[in-house]
Amino acid sequence: MARKMSGRHVRWGLLDLLVVIYALFPVVWIASLSLKTTATLADGNFIPRQWSLDSYQQIFQTDQFVRSLINSIGIAVISTAIAVVLAILAAYAIARLDFPGKKALVAAALLTAMFPQVSLVTPLFEIERRLGLFDTWLGLIIPYIAFALPLAIYTLTAFFQQIPWDLEKAAKTDGATQAQAFQKVIVPLAAPGVFTTMILVFIFCWNDFLFAISLTSTERARTVPAALSFFTGATQFEDPTGATSAAAVVITIPIIVFVLLFQRRIVAGLTSGAVKG
Amino acid sequence: MADVVLDKVTKRFDDGTIAVKEVDLQIADGEFVILVGPSGCGKSTLLNMIAGLEDISSGELRIGGQRVNDREPRERDIAMVFQSYALYPNMTVRENIAFPLKLAKIDKATIDKRVNDSAKLLELTELLDRRPANLSGGQRQRVAMGRAIVRSPQAFLMDEPLSNLDAKLRVQMRTVVARLQKQLGTTMVYVTHDQTEAMTLGDRVVVLRGGAVQQVGKPQALYDNPTNIFVAGFIGSPSMNFLHASVADGMLRTAVGDLPVGRRMQKMLEAPDVPDELVMGVRPEHFLDADLVEGQDLGPGVQFESTVDLVESLGSDKFVYFTIEGASASAAELEELAADTGDTAMLSGSNLTVRFPAESTATAGQPHRIWLPLNRIHLFNPATGRNLTLHDGIAAGVASD
């Protein structure tokens, strides 16, 4: 019995390892490139022969990267906050209330999610230029919210639908107003869903390249993914591979921190014990 | 504490279905009223309407003399216990019970005192700092009750509060509920689909079917004098036996023999709206073991013999099952009842369940003589379901003059 179990464990372990290697290989490669010296960049060794932090020093010395990092953080955080708050309200309404046009709203949200973003770039560019939003934070925040909302609404609706409706009824008969029932009973229980959604939306905003490259032109609002493509080497003839890799590693860190910070909150079974088991 | 009055209360959903049909009900201050019926009869909807969780389409609901149709649940001062318990999982037991008081902005010292009092009453003191996830079903149930009683509401509403408990705990909690209600003297409306709970708990029982009230009365009155075939079949366990009966030559022709009919009954049967084909209903304990009652004066009755299929001895009594040859009883309400309870034996009309005293000698496979007193027979009109044997609301049997 024990041997059988361990055999199965080994097989699963090998499979897991394969997946992890497959997923992490590009990441490790980039990390490796970022740690090489300029001279050894293309020497074909996966593990650097000569370790150096030059690339990191280089990117933080340039105003270009630091500015774009600030832009990225600011734009992603603001977009996430607004999108998630709006999505909570919308998802709650969809999950709990019956109102005219509910189906239309859900369909419209789905439609937005399916719309090819690239087809909107040119019109958005024109609109933003005329409104003076081009190359501003707001110019990116607005489309990010628009495209993150469908995803956020769908995720949160699923979470809200899992919360037993009886809890809300109980809160109401216990003397709560609709708003109090929502705030004191539903929101705390929806927290895992809210955090999951926050992570998804944040990653979406953080990773976006298309809008970031199209709707910005200077360091005023350019985010890191876009800024990376503008990296140049120390001289015209030098390849910025090392700097680009270092920047890529740096911008991965906030995502990891964000996920680690909130994954504790994403615990399943927070609602256990509310209703019969 | 207050009385609750329902005046032609109706619930019509947007799609046109009527869940509750013109329910008139007066629940006195301090009364314990049970709403009972099969699933889908509108009992929970009715309770939710009293609580304010469902709108009232038409009619009027008064609590303590005041019209509350348009008031929010929190303005009605009622407490509700849900079938699912609906405890707040993110709060401890103490916080759960204190929640209504906190919302009412009562000062902390009073909250503490009242939470502790309620906890003591329900034996929850040890559990106050636990979370619902770490409680057993019975404990969760008690917390849900604690949350209801803590603010001394005008009325308690209970929506099948015991149906998620196992059988033993259910019986135990039943007495807890009954005692609590007597102790607090608060008006209580209790919804259940379990006719045993309905019979044992309430001061009065309201039987609902398809959103309409079938009968309201004390449990015993409902059992003895059901106004229609639905109430007759629903109340009582094992349920009433239904047999086909046809009227011919002033007699009732049934599978257990021809029964003479009293003068008043005769007149009733001659009425133009009464069909010739009827349904006869007899409760299991109203059949008597002919061997045991030999020589006693039992009034008018008939004796018949049938072969025993099965005997179940309960110690105190015996349930004896017979198969009777004959046409089966048919009525729309019976079919509905059978579909709901899953008790298709009720429909076949050929099975008879009889309750004999323990000293009966009925043996499986052997023929046995049964005495059927005529004053214990109910006769129903299968078209309307009406009990034809009721006289001034009292069931008088078929031989009554």
Side-chain angles (χ1 to χ4, degrees):
Chain A
M1 174 82 188
R3 194 176 288 167
K4 248 190 216 161
M5 278 293 285
S6 71
R8 244 182 63 185
H9 280 175
V10 168
R11 276 207 302 282
W12 275 112
L14 284 175
L15 201 67
D16 288 349
L17 198 66
L18 207 69
V19 171
V20 169
I21 290 171
Y22 179 79
L24 284 184
F25 182 73
V27 180
V28 177
W29 193 356
I30 284 180
S32 147
L33 284 175
S34 74
L35 292 168
K36 285 181 175 180
T37 57
T38 323
T40 58
L41 256 179
D43 64 355
N45 287 315
F46 190 70
I47 297 157
R49 293 282 161 88
Q50 284 173 289
W51 299 79
S52 119
L53 288 173
D54 287 355
S55 302
Y56 289 92
Q57 267 171 7
Q58 194 192 332
I59 58 166
F60 279 104
Q61 271 160 13
T62 60
D63 202 33
Q64 200 186 3
F65 180 73
V66 179
R67 272 296 314 186
S68 61
L69 198 59
I70 293 168
N71 288 341
S72 261
I73 292 171
I75 290 169
V77 166
I78 295 171
S79 306
T80 305
I82 297 174
V84 170
V85 168
L86 290 179
I88 287 175
L89 301 176
Y92 179 74
I94 290 168
R96 284 283 187 269
L97 309 174
D98 245 340
F99 54 89
K102 178 167 149 177
K103 277 194 182 141
L105 179 77
V106 176
L110 193 65
L111 196 72
T112 323
M114 292 193 296
F115 220 84
Q117 297 178 7
V118 76
S119 67
L120 287 177
V121 166
T122 316
L124 270 177
F125 175 76
E126 286 299 329
I127 293 168
E128 295 209 346
R129 248 182 10 152
R130 296 211 186 151
L131 293 175
L133 289 172
F134 180 73
D135 200 25
T136 60
W137 278 25
L138 201 59
L140 281 180
I141 288 171
I142 291 171
Y144 283 172
I145 291 173
F147 279 97
L149 263 179
L151 169 81
I153 290 173
Y154 267 81
T155 320
L156 281 169
T157 305
F159 271 96
F160 279 132
Q161 275 165 348
Q162 280 172 10
I163 297 173
W165 198 0
D166 272 356
L167 287 180
E168 195 181 319
K169 288 198 206 164
K172 278 200 208 164
T173 51
D174 278 347
T177 61
Q178 178 91 39
Q180 279 174 321
F182 178 62
Q183 181 205 337
K184 295 193 186 210
V185 175
I186 303 301
V187 170
L189 295 178
V194 172
F195 287 117
T196 309
T197 312
M198 273 171 73
I199 290 176
L200 291 174
V201 172
F202 185 84
I203 291 175
F204 166 79
C205 301
W206 187 258
N207 283 352
D208 172 75
F209 179 73
L210 184 66
F211 289 127
I213 197 85
S214 319
L215 302 176
T216 60
S217 60
T218 66
E219 287 170 10
R220 264 177 72 197
R222 192 178 280 152
T223 58
V224 180
L228 283 186
S229 66
F230 287 96
F231 271 15
T232 50
T235 70
Q236 203 181 332
F237 306 103
E238 210 172 285
D239 198 15
T241 308
T244 311
S245 306
V249 170
V250 170
I251 62 162
T252 312
I253 292 169
I255 296 273
I256 295 173
V257 170
F258 203 81
V259 171
L260 287 181
L261 215 64
F262 287 130
Q263 75 163 3
R264 273 160 206 261
R265 312 299 298 263
I266 313 170
V267 278
L270 197 62
T271 55
S272 72
V275 296
K276 60 151 179 166
Chain B
M1 278 179 277
D3 60 333
V4 177
V5 177
L6 289 84
D7 188 359
K8 296 214 178 329
V9 166
T10 299
K11 177 73 191 181
R12 205 177 295 104
F13 285 112
D14 289 341
D15 61 0
T17 49
I18 294 178
V20 175
K21 244 180 278 176
E22 300 203 343
V23 170
D24 281 317
L25 188 61
Q26 270 133 37
I27 302 166
D29 186 6
E31 196 179 14
F32 193 160
V33 166
I34 312 270
L35 305 180
V36 69
S39 50
C41 72
K43 56 193 190 299
S44 286
T45 309
L46 191 56
L47 196 74
N48 281 336
M49 283 159 87
I50 299 174
L53 297 169
E54 291 267 13
D55 291 334
I56 295 169
S57 308
S58 66
E60 196 171 80
L61 171 68
R62 292 186 291 272
I63 298 176
Q66 290 190 324
R67 182 190 150 96
V68 296
N69 281 40
D70 303 317
R71 290 207 197 156
E72 291 290 314
R74 69 194 154 88
E75 297 163 334
R76 297 191 185 189
D77 196 14
I78 34 83
M80 187 151 168
V81 175
F82 294 81
Q83 179 177 9
S84 64
Y85 317 139
L87 302 180
Y88 310 123
N90 52 325
M91 303 182 194
T92 61
V93 171
R94 184 189 300 280
E95 288 165 339
N96 261 286
I97 298 176
F99 189 69
L101 300 178
K102 256 188 210 151
L103 287 173
K105 300 206 163 58
I106 289 168
D107 66 282
K108 205 172 168 312
T110 319
I111 291 180
D112 281 345
K113 191 186 168 301
R114 280 167 69 176
V115 169
N116 288 333
D117 289 350
S118 305
K120 207 166 147 197
L121 195 64
L122 289 161
E123 294 167 25
L124 287 168
T125 312
E126 310 281 301
L127 308 171
L128 277 175
D129 296 311
R130 289 215 209 155
R131 279 180 197 272
N134 304 325
L135 300 178
S136 69
Q139 289 167 337
R140 285 179 201 177
Q141 218 287 326
R142 294 211 302 272
V143 176
M145 299 236 268
R147 197 173 60 187
I149 65 171
V150 74
R151 76 197 152 107
S152 318
Q154 304 246 34
F156 291 132
L157 307 177
M158 303 221 168
D159 191 0
E160 309 212 14
L162 309 182
S163 60
N164 281 335
L165 301 176
D166 60 59
K168 199 175 161 198
L169 207 53
R170 198 177 313 155
V171 174
Q172 206 180 319
M173 283 308 293
R174 211 158 68 195
T175 56
V176 172
V177 171
R179 211 171 41 221
L180 206 62
Q181 200 271 339
K182 291 282 164 292
Q183 217 167 337
L184 301 169
T186 308
T187 314
M188 180 161 344
V189 186
Y190 186 107
V191 162
T192 181
H193 66 269
D194 179 356
Q195 61 89 24
T196 317
E197 250 171 52
M199 291 292 286
T200 51
L201 274 176
D203 295 331
R204 271 196 309 159
V205 177
V206 180
V207 182
L208 288 160
R209 168 179 171 253
V213 172
Q214 302 295 303
Q215 193 171 0
V216 184
K218 290 194 190 316
Q220 194 62 47
L222 257 58
Y223 186 84
D224 292 338
N225 314 309
T227 55
N228 62 33
I229 197 167
F230 181 83
V231 176
F234 189 77
I235 301 286
S237 172
S239 55
M240 189 183 272
N241 295 289
F242 293 106
L243 295 171
H244 176 260
S246 52
V247 184
D249 311 329
M251 300 276 273
L252 275 178
R253 201 145 284 163
T254 75
V256 298
D258 288 352
L259 311 179
V261 173
R263 247 179 304 150
R264 197 171 63 211
M265 202 66 226
Q266 198 105 46
K267 222 180 272 170
M268 180 83 102
L269 293 177
E270 280 161 8
D273 60 328
V274 174
D276 285 343
E277 308 294 311
L278 300 169
V279 175
M280 176 176 96
V282 184
R283 295 224 178 260
E285 67 275 22
H286 291 155
F287 290 99
L288 301 174
D289 186 335
D291 293 346
L292 296 177
V293 295
E294 197 94 66
Q296 293 177 27
D297 181 21
L298 297 162
V302 288
Q303 183 174 304
F304 63 100
E305 195 176 77
S306 184
T307 306
V308 176
D309 278 343
L310 188 69
V311 179
E312 283 176 355
S313 183
L314 300 181
S316 56
D317 302 282
K318 277 177 180 159
F319 286 134
V320 185
Y321 299 89
F322 295 94
T323 305
I324 303 283
E325 296 306 325
S328 49
S330 71
E333 291 175 340
L334 272 186
E335 274 161 38
E336 191 180 306
L337 253 183
D340 190 73
T341 55
D343 181 8
T344 44
M346 201 190 277
L347 269 184
S348 67
S350 58
N351 291 320
L352 218 55
T353 308
V354 168
R355 185 181 199 145
F356 281 164
E359 49 278 10
S360 167
T361 55
T363 324
Q366 300 292 317
H368 203 85
R369 288 185 307 134
I370 305 160
W371 175 260
L372 173 57
L374 295 182
N375 62 353
R376 294 300 204 177
I377 295 174
H378 298 276
L379 212 52
F380 300 97
N381 180 339
T384 59
R386 199 161 68 89
N387 187 348
L388 302 170
T389 38
L390 281 193
H391 182 68
D392 292 337
I394 307 291
V398 291
S400 68
D401 287 322

